[in-house]
């Protein structure tokens, strides 16, 4: 039988690919769309657009009516911003969607979370497991809001009635990734510096591997649990970002800065931007450094055992797709 689901964030990088995968697997997909452009985008991917937003209770109730599964992919992701903005989008928006899904008797709620919820200060964390606690820092409004959002989702789990699962990806990459455009802009403006020598180990996950894990979580994830997912083979920061840049014909920069110096610079820039209400984002933030400043790799054994997850797209395959 055809299963019906709702996808939030369907006009985005991951959400659009997820819709295409689900439609290809025979799902009837609805997608929340805030405006005309988003509605056109999700329709192109194959979903039925439902107009509304995460703060519109009536729209959410209409969107989830008749759905057995909700894929909550939407999130505010940037490395600078007001904490209240992240709270409204990532925490309150999730709370509204959870309530609507519960009222509509949705069977399973799968959230795309973030591996960053276990990051605090930039210290080495190698082969991190789900046993690590969620951490919040005042200078990291994105990862802190994702930690609170995850806590809401997992606490809402009701075995046999309303089951909730969270996936925790590290850096998501692939053709069309918005972050690469931002990275190239920073490099071409001369603002980019490697943190340290760039040799810190990192885990990554291709967008198609994320979408595979999201679908697996519907039938195989244990309710009330979070799972790390990755490409299964770790990279170095410099090696991976250099490969991404070269896929677009951009030569990687050579300039670098020690982590301690970069941390002090980030704090000073944040103070300037906040005090003088400067437009845009600082060139470097402590949120950014918490993500890339120290080694951070994941152990995906739990996802392999319980979800049956295996990365389907390798680094070489993903980069070849980006060059095309």
């Amino acid at each position: 039988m055809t299963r019906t689901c709702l996808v939030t964030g369907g006009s985005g990088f991951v959400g659009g690919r997820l819709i295409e995968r689900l439609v290809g697997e025979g799902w009837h997909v609805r997608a929340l769309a805030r405006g005309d452009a988003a509605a056109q985008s999700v329709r192109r991917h194959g979903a039925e657009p439902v107009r509304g937003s995460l703060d519109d209770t009536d729209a959410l109730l209409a969107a989830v009516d008749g759905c057995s599964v909700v894929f909550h992919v939407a999130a505010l992701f940037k490395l600078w911003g007001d904490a209240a903005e992240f709270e409204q989008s990532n925490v309150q928006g999730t709370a509204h969607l959870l309530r609507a899904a519960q009222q509509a008797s949705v069977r399973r709620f799968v959230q795309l979370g973030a591996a960053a919820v276990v990051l605090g200060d930039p210290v080495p964390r190698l082969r991190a497991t789900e046993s690590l606690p969620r951490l919040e820092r005042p200078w990291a409004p994105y990862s802190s809001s994702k930690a609170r959002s995850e806590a809401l989702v997992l606490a809402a789990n009701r075995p046999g009635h309303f089951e909730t699962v969270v996936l925790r990806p590290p850096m998501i990459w692939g053709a069309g990734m918005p972050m690469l455009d931002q990275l190239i802009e920073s490099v071409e403006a001369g603002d980019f510096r490697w943190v340290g020598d760039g040799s810190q180990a990192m885990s990554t996950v291709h967008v198609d591997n994320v979408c595979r894990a999201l679908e697996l979580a519907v039938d195989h994830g244990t309710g009330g649990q979070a799972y790390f997912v990755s490409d299964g083979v770790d990279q170095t920061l410099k090696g991976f970002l250099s490969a991404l840049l070269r896929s677009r014909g951009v030569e990687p920069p050579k300039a670098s800065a020690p982590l301690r110096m970069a941390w002090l610079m980030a704090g000073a820039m944040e103070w300037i931007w906040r005090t003088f209400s400067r437009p845009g984002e600082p060139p470097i933030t402590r949120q950014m450094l918490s993500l890339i400043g120290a080694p951070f790799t994941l152990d995906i054994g739990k996802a392999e055992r319980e979800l049956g997850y295996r990365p389907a797209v390798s680094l070489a395959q993903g980069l070849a797709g980006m060059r095309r």
Side-chain angles (χ1 to χ4, degrees):
M1 293 179 61
T2 299
R3 295 194 284 184
T4 299
C5 67
L6 174 71
V7 173
T8 68
S11 61
F13 173 51
V14 178
R17 296 288 273 273
L18 177 62
I19 290 172
E20 292 174 357
R21 178 182 181 88
L22 293 172
V23 170
E25 295 291 332
W27 289 74
H28 174 69
V29 183
R30 294 178 187 163
L32 199 64
R34 292 177 61 94
D36 291 340
Q40 292 171 7
S41 175
V42 300
R43 190 178 287 111
R44 284 195 301 270
H45 291 301
E48 171 196 349
V50 180
R51 297 296 289 268
S53 64
L54 290 173
D55 56 9
D56 185 339
T57 302
D58 291 339
L60 292 178
L61 287 171
V64 297
D65 184 42
C67 292
S68 60
V69 178
V70 168
F71 293 97
H72 184 29
V73 178
L76 176 64
F77 172 63
K78 55 183 182 177
L79 300 177
W80 175 252
D82 186 71
E85 184 182 9
F86 288 96
E87 182 74 15
Q88 179 179 0
S89 296
N90 295 345
V91 184
Q92 295 305 317
T94 299
H96 295 156
L97 184 60
L98 281 168
R99 283 194 292 271
Q102 289 167 320
Q103 290 182 43
S105 299
V106 168
R107 181 178 68 84
R108 180 149 290 217
F109 188 104
V110 181
Q111 182 186 35
L112 184 65
V117 298
V118 301
L119 291 177
D121 302 329
V123 297
R125 291 176 178 83
L126 297 175
R127 295 193 61 77
T129 68
E130 293 82 357
S131 64
L132 290 175
R134 289 185 292 266
L135 298 174
E136 298 182 30
R137 295 292 186 269
W139 40 261
Y142 164 70
S143 59
S144 297
S145 68
K146 290 295 285 185
R148 291 192 294 277
S149 176
E150 177 183 297
L152 286 177
V153 172
L154 298 183
N157 183 66
R158 298 294 181 269
H161 298 282
F162 181 70
E163 298 188 331
T164 61
V165 177
V166 176
L167 297 186
R168 294 173 170 177
M171 180 187 292
I172 303 174
W173 65 285
M177 59 185 293
M179 193 208 79
L180 182 52
D181 293 332
Q182 298 162 6
L183 177 61
I184 290 172
E185 183 179 341
S186 176
V187 169
E188 292 181 340
D191 293 332
F192 185 85
R193 300 287 185 277
W194 297 110
V195 181
D197 61 3
S199 65
Q200 50 269 46
M202 65 181 296
S203 294
T204 60
V205 63
H206 189 271
V207 60
D208 290 342
N209 291 335
V210 172
C211 292
R212 171 171 171 74
L214 285 165
E215 191 177 14
L216 287 170
V218 173
D219 294 319
H220 303 290
T222 301
Q225 295 293 310
Y227 297 88
F228 285 128
V229 292
S230 78
D231 291 325
V233 178
D234 298 325
Q235 318 293 329
T236 66
L237 175 72
K238 191 170 188 177
F240 181 68
L241 295 188
S242 294
L244 292 183
L245 289 168
R246 289 187 174 116
S247 76
R248 295 273 292 272
V250 177
E251 190 60 26
K254 294 182 172 57
S256 64
L259 175 58
R260 180 171 176 78
M261 179 184 297
W263 188 263
L264 294 174
M265 290 172 57
M269 288 181 181
E270 290 172 18
W271 181 86
I272 292 170
W273 255 252
R274 188 176 296 109
T275 302
F276 299 103
S277 300
R278 297 195 60 172
E281 300 183 6
I284 188 171
T285 65
R286 286 174 290 179
Q287 172 76 87
M288 179 192 301
L289 293 174
S290 74
L291 296 174
I292 66 170
F296 179 45
T297 63
L298 307 176
D299 183 336
I300 61 171
K302 183 179 176 182
E304 291 174 330
R305 293 188 303 272
E306 297 187 17
L307 303 183
Y309 170 74
R310 298 291 186 277
V313 178
S314 68
L315 176 66
Q317 291 169 329
L319 288 172
M322 294 182 72
R323 287 191 291 271
R324 287 196 295 272

